[in-house]
Amino acid sequence: MSWSWLDWLREAVGQPQFTLLFAPAAKFLVAIFAIFLLIAYLVFAERRLLGFLQVRLGPNRVGPWGLLQPIADILKLLVKEDTIPNRAVRWAYLLAPCLVVAPALVIFSVVPFGPSPTAPGAPRWYVTDLNAALVFVVALASLGIYGIILGGWASNNKFSLLGGLRSAAQMVSYEVPQGLALVGPLMLAGSLSLVGIVEGQARLGLWFAVPQIVAFFVYFVAGVAETNRNPFDLPEAESELVAGFHTEYSGVRFALFFLGEYANMIVISAIAVTVFLGGWLRPFPSVEALAFLDLVPGVAWFFLKVFAFLFLFIWFRGTFPRFRFDQLMDLGWKWLIPLSLANVLVTGLVVVLVDRGP
Amino acid sequence: MSDPASRKVIEIGPFHPLLEEPVGFSLTVEGERVVAIDARMDYIHKGLERLAQERTYDMVPILLERICGICSVTHSVCFCHAVEDLLGVEIPARAAYIRTILGELERLHSHLLWVGLAGHFIGYNTVFMWSWKYREPVCDLFEMLTGHRQNSALPIVGGVRRDLPVEYFPEARRILDELAGQTARLTAAVLDDPVLSARLRGVGVLAREAALDFGVVGPTARAAGLATDVRRDEPYAAYAEVEWDLVTRDEGDVFAKAVVRLLEIAESIRILRQCFDRLPGGPINLGTLHVPRGEGIGRYEAPRGEDVHYVRSNGTNMPERLKVRAPSFVNIPSFKASCLGAPLADVLITLAACDPCYSCTERAVVLQDRRGGPLPGAPELLAASRRRTAELARELGRPPDLELE
C-alpha cells in the first residue's frame, strides 16, 4: 500500500513519546528554516534598501524584482571551493564559522515570538520558556565573538589577525554595557524569563523602552557594535583590513560567517523588541481605546517591530562612516558603561522606593 | 606597545581594496600604530616618455592623454605648454578659453571622484555612490563637448585641434547649474557631519613647514596653508581673465584636504560659467609650426597639483626627450611626515587624501647591485644629475642653470 507510511505516521503522532521527542525538534527545525529564509531575504532587503539610499538599483535581475537573488547567492556560496590556507591552524579554522552561527541560532529557542497559550490547544509561540533566559542569551551572544577571534587567529593572515584583535577589544568594551542595560528591565519585570519580561510590561501597561529609554539606547548601540555592523564594522573594515577576520574564508564557511552576522542582527533586534518594546504586545497595551489593535495577532506585532529594528540597522549602514578604533573604545568605556551603571542605580532606587518590587 | 618585537609589517598592495592601481606600501606597525612606511612604485612603468620620442609633435598630446586615467587634459596641455615655451609663442584667445573649459571640467570630475573614494575608504559608501552619481553628468558633458568622456584629443601645440560645439553650451550651462546645487548640498552635508569631523579632523596632519620641506603641490599644499597654484602664480590659458578664488586651509589634515577639494569644485563651476559666457571668436590654433632646436618647460595645475613637463628638441619633428613629473610624485613622499605615529585606520585615509595617482607617477628606477656593492646614495645621485644638466647646457649652447664647484 502506498499510503502505509502515512498511516504509520498518523498512528505515531498520537503517541505521547512522539510529542515529547519530535515536537520540539520539528518546531526548532521549522524555526531555523524560517530564520534562514528570513536571513536570506534580509540580505536582499538590505541590498535593495542600500541601493535606494545610494541612488542606485541594487540586485534586480534574478527573478521578479530580483527576488530570487538570495537563492542564487546561496547556491553560489554552496558550490564554491572551500579553501584552507596551508599554514592555517586547521581545527580552529574549521571550527570558527560554526562557533559564530550556532550560538546565534540557539538563542532563537528562548525568544518568545508570541504569547503563551491562553486556551488549551492554542499554539505556543516559543520553543521553550527558560527561567534564566536573559542570562542564557547574554552568555550565548558573547560566545559568537570567540568564533571571530578564533577565525582571525587561525587564518594565519595579518589582516585576519588584526580583525580578530579588534573584535576582541570590541567585545570587551561592549559586552559590559549591553549586559548592564538589560538589568534595568530585569528589575522592573522581576523575572529573568523573556516571557516573564513581556508579561511584566503587560502588567505595567507600558513598554520598558519608556521608563528604560537610557538602557534601550545603550543596548541598541552596543548591539550594533556586537554585530560588527556599520558604523562599528571595524573587524572587517574593507579599505583597511581587506575583509578582516574572514579574509581567507571562502564558500560555505564564508557563508556561515555571513549567516552569523545577519542571524546576530535578528537576535539583537528580537531581544531588544522582547525586552524593551513589549515583545508581542500592541503599542500602548494599557490604553483601552486602542484595543482594536489586538485584532492583529501578537506574532505579527513582534515581527513588525523586529523588521523596524532591522530597517534601522540598514539605515545606519547608509548613514554613518566607520568609526576609528579608539573612538569606538572611548564611546564604550567613557559613555556607555557609566550611562548604563547610572541607569541600573536609578532604576534600582525607584523600584525599591516605589513598590518594593513587583 | 613600543616593544620592537611586537612590530609587524603590513603590506598594503600591490593588490588591495584601498588601491585602484598597483603600488606597494609597507607599513611597519606596533599594534595598530604605524611606525615606518616604505613605498614601492615600480609596478606599471609604461615607458610613455620613450614612446613620445617616437611620435611627431602633433601625435604626442594624444599619447600623453593616456598617462593618467583621469588627467587626460593635464598631461597633453602641459606638454603643449612646454613646446610653446620652447617656441616662445602665445596661443589664440579662443584656444586659451577652450583649454580652460577642458581643464576645469577635468578638475570637476577628478575632485568628485576623489570625494567618493575618500567616502568609501572610511566606510561611508553613501557618499561614494552619491558623488559618483554627480560625476556622471560631468563626464557626459565632456563627451558632449569633445566627443569622448575622457580623452578629447583636442590639445595640440599652438592651440586646440577642433572647435567646441557652441550649440551645446545652453545644455552645458544647465548641467552646471544642476551640479552646482548638488555639490553645494554635498559640501554642506560633509561640513556638518559630526562623525566625519570626528573621523577626519586632526588626522594625517601635514604641517606648513613639512609641506614646504617636501615641496607638496595642489590641494595637498593648499590644505596646509600654502597658497600655491600655477593658475594663479603663472597664469596660463584664460585664468588671468576670469574671476576665481584660491581655496586654502591652514589645518593640513584630511578634513582640510576634503574641504579644499569640495570648495574647488564650486570655483571650477564658477570659472566654467564665465568661460561659456565669454568664449571669444578667432582662430583656434596657430597652424603648422616648426619646432627648432632647444628646450622648454611646461607647468600646469592638474587636479592633484602642479604638473611639469620638460621637452628637448633637436630640430626634427619629434621631441628628443620628454620628461614628465606628475604631481603625485612629490605628494607621495610627504606620507613620511603625515603618516608616522598614526593608527592604521588613519594612515590609510591619509594615503588616499593626497589623491595619489600611481600610474602617472611611474618613473621610478630601482637600483640594485647584484654584486652587493654599495648603492649610490642621495649625494651621488644629485651630483650625477648636476653633471648631466651641465652637459645638456653645453650641448644646447646655453648658460648652465647652476654653477658647479
Side-chain angles (χ1 to χ4, degrees):
Chain A
M1 283 290 286
S2 60
W3 292 106
S4 62
W5 65 272
L6 252 184
D7 289 338
W8 171 83
L9 190 68
R10 202 168 294 139
E11 208 164 288
V13 168
Q15 304 291 322
Q17 295 96 324
F18 181 86
T19 322
L20 200 66
L21 285 175
F22 291 105
K27 240 184 222 175
F28 194 66
L29 278 182
V30 168
I32 286 212
F33 184 73
I35 288 161
F36 277 3
L37 213 64
L38 189 63
I39 290 170
Y41 278 90
L42 175 59
V43 176
F44 174 72
E46 165 161 41
R47 290 173 68 184
R48 288 307 296 262
L49 204 61
L50 269 184
F52 170 72
L53 289 173
Q54 301 177 347
V55 287
R56 57 193 173 85
L57 289 173
N60 68 345
R61 310 311 290 178
V62 190
W65 306 289
L67 274 173
L68 294 180
Q69 182 71 42
I71 311 293
D73 284 346
I74 291 170
L75 284 179
K76 178 198 74 176
L77 285 169
L78 284 179
V79 299
K80 265 196 167 179
E81 187 189 356
D82 177 20
T83 56
I84 302 174
N86 265 341
R87 292 166 66 189
V89 183
R90 215 181 146 82
W91 63 269
Y93 186 82
L94 300 184
L95 180 68
C98 313
L99 213 52
V100 173
V101 178
L105 292 182
V106 172
I107 291 178
F108 282 107
S109 61
V110 296
V111 173
F113 300 106
S116 11
T118 42
R124 196 180 60 162
W125 283 101
Y126 45 88
V127 176
T128 170
D129 178 19
L130 207 60
N131 58 5
L134 210 54
V135 179
F136 181 72
V137 166
V138 172
L140 279 177
S142 50
L143 257 186
I145 310 281
Y146 286 100
I148 291 179
I149 299 174
L150 206 59
W153 169 75
S155 304
N156 194 14
N157 175 317
K158 284 169 196 160
F159 295 118
S160 303
L161 184 64
L162 275 176
L165 275 177
R166 285 181 173 191
S167 200
Q170 208 161 312
M171 177 189 75
V172 173
S173 346
Y174 283 85
E175 288 287 293
V176 181
Q178 195 182 23
L180 286 173
L182 290 175
V183 174
L186 165 75
M187 286 193 287
L188 287 184
S191 165
L192 270 172
S193 138
L194 290 178
V195 177
I197 287 178
V198 178
E199 280 163 358
Q201 301 180 60
R203 267 203 309 281
L204 189 66
L206 204 61
W207 292 359
F208 282 163
V210 181
Q212 290 291 318
I213 182 78
V214 178
F216 179 51
F217 169 76
V218 170
Y219 179 83
F220 185 61
V221 174
V224 176
E226 195 188 288
T227 45
N228 297 328
R229 293 276 307 179
N230 218 306
F232 305 116
D233 59 341
L234 292 157
E236 47 183 310
E238 185 191 335
S239 51
E240 299 157 29
L241 300 181
V242 187
F245 59 91
H246 58 55
T247 304
E248 296 285 2
Y249 282 89
S250 69
V252 183
R253 280 171 218 289
F254 169 74
L256 283 179
F257 272 126
F258 211 64
L259 204 75
E261 179 182 329
Y262 283 86
N264 265 324
M265 269 168 73
I266 301 178
V267 163
I268 297 285
S269 309
I271 300 296
V273 165
T274 310
V275 175
F276 293 102
L277 295 184
W280 63 79
L281 301 175
R282 64 176 163 87
F284 307 105
S286 59
V287 180
E288 287 300 325
L290 291 173
F292 67 90
L293 287 176
D294 280 334
L295 289 176
V296 181
V299 187
W301 279 122
F302 179 84
F303 278 104
L304 206 66
K305 292 176 208 168
V306 169
F307 289 148
F309 248 98
L310 293 174
F311 173 75
L312 211 59
F313 269 102
I314 296 167
W315 195 6
F316 264 38
R317 183 166 166 190
T319 313
F320 290 118
R322 187 184 303 125
F323 276 94
R324 203 173 53 223
F325 192 56
D326 50 320
Q327 291 168 339
L328 178 87
M329 305 291 268
D330 264 14
L331 186 68
W333 289 101
K334 291 188 188 159
W335 294 98
L336 295 187
I337 292 184
L339 253 167
S340 50
L341 272 174
N343 180 61
V344 167
L345 204 69
V346 173
T347 311
L349 278 175
V350 170
V351 166
V352 168
L353 292 178
V354 171
D355 57 6
R356 317 218 152 264
Chain B
M1 290 282 266
S2 60
D3 171 25
S6 70
R7 288 189 176 186
K8 279 207 181 319
V9 177
I10 294 187
E11 298 286 350
I12 305 289
F15 301 104
H16 189 279
L18 180 74
L19 310 165
E20 314 94 81
E21 302 166 58
V23 67
F25 286 109
S26 297
L27 305 178
T28 309
V29 294
E30 283 175 3
E32 286 248 353
R33 201 153 293 277
V34 174
V35 293
I37 181 169
D38 196 9
R40 255 197 86 161
M41 302 196 292
D42 53 349
Y43 290 98
I44 35 170
H45 184 64
K46 294 182 285 190
L48 280 168
E49 290 172 347
R50 180 73 183 79
L51 283 175
Q53 293 164 26
E54 296 168 1
R55 300 281 188 286
T56 63
Y57 284 100
D58 260 7
M59 293 156 77
V60 173
I62 297 177
L63 174 76
L64 296 189
E65 285 183 339
R66 273 81 183 165
I67 285 185
C68 179
I70 296 165
C71 309
S72 55
V73 181
T74 292
H75 289 285
S76 49
V77 172
C78 193
F79 171 78
C80 295
H81 282 177
V83 181
E84 284 151 14
D85 175 47
L86 190 160
L87 291 166
V89 293
E90 282 288 322
I91 58 169
R94 190 174 176 86
Y97 270 82
I98 291 176
R99 281 186 185 178
T100 311
I101 290 175
L102 295 181
E104 290 311 308
L105 279 176
E106 178 177 278
R107 198 177 316 280
L108 267 185
H109 83 70
S110 172
H111 281 358
L112 281 171
L113 181 116
W114 178 84
V115 171
L117 283 179
H120 174 63
F121 293 149
I122 54 168
Y124 205 170
N125 281 332
T126 308
V127 163
F128 173 48
M129 295 291 171
W130 280 91
S131 87
W132 280 40
K133 182 95 176 170
Y134 294 156
R135 177 177 177 257
E136 252 344 86
V138 183
C139 291
D140 289 346
L141 179 54
F142 207 81
E143 183 181 0
M144 202 192 292
L145 296 178
T146 69
H148 196 286
R149 286 160 56 91
Q150 275 291 328
N151 301 325
S152 57
L154 276 190
I156 55 167
V157 175
V160 290
R161 201 181 303 267
R162 300 183 307 274
D163 208 349
L164 290 188
V166 188
E167 63 273 20
Y168 286 136
F169 279 13
E171 175 66 6
R173 273 200 205 92
R174 195 193 59 73
I175 292 177
L176 280 184
D177 289 344
E178 214 166 82
L179 187 73
Q182 288 164 339
T183 50
R185 223 170 41 198
L186 185 71
T187 311
V190 168
L191 292 181
D192 271 356
D193 195 323
V195 188
L196 274 183
S197 276
R199 189 69 185 74
L200 300 180
R201 270 187 211 273
V203 166
V205 177
L206 186 66
R208 197 187 142 87
E209 295 70 38
L212 276 173
D213 282 351
F214 283 95
V216 295
V217 291
T220 313
R222 294 197 280 279
L226 300 177
T228 149
D229 191 320
V230 186
R231 293 176 293 171
R232 175 72 20 114
D233 302 339
E234 199 177 282
Y236 54 88
Y239 288 109
E241 294 162 39
V242 291
E243 275 176 32
W244 59 284
D245 292 321
L246 195 60
V247 183
T248 57
R249 281 287 177 279
D250 292 330
E251 297 87 8
D253 53 8
V254 176
F255 194 77
K257 286 168 196 165
V259 171
V260 164
R261 289 204 176 85
L262 282 166
L263 295 180
E264 274 184 11
I265 290 174
E267 291 301 321
S268 286
I269 294 176
R270 196 169 147 203
I271 296 173
L272 277 170
R273 281 181 174 149
Q274 295 176 49
C275 288
F276 284 137
D277 288 342
R278 298 190 200 159
L279 186 67
I284 53 168
N285 57 45
L286 298 173
T288 313
L289 297 162
H290 173 70
V291 183
R293 222 170 115 82
E295 58 183 353
I297 286 183
R299 301 171 70 196
Y300 182 92
E301 184 69 19
R304 285 159 186 74
E306 181 190 354
D307 186 23
V308 180
H309 281 217
Y310 165 82
V311 171
R312 191 167 75 244
S313 157
N314 53 8
T316 62
N317 61 349
M318 297 178 198
E320 189 189 9
R321 177 77 174 99
L322 167 68
K323 171 87 185 89
V324 177
R325 201 232 47 196
S328 298
F329 188 73
V330 281
N331 283 342
I332 289 172
S334 74
F335 294 151
K336 287 233 172 203
S338 55
C339 289
L340 295 190
L344 186 62
D346 284 351
V347 167
L348 295 176
I349 180 66
T350 311
L351 293 184
C354 85
D355 201 359
C357 194
Y358 303 107
S359 71
C360 339
T361 308
E362 292 294 333
R363 323 273 159 242
V365 176
V366 176
L367 293 173
Q368 197 177 20
D369 190 339
R370 303 244 164 158
R371 289 162 306 180
L375 289 176
E380 288 89 353
L381 289 176
L382 202 59
S385 162
R386 281 182 181 153
R387 262 201 315 279
R388 182 72 186 125
T389 310
E391 272 172 36
L392 282 177
R394 258 200 312 283
E395 277 173 28
L396 290 165
R398 66 161 164 76
D401 296 323
L402 31 87
E403 292 302 322
L404 296 181
E405 57 272 59

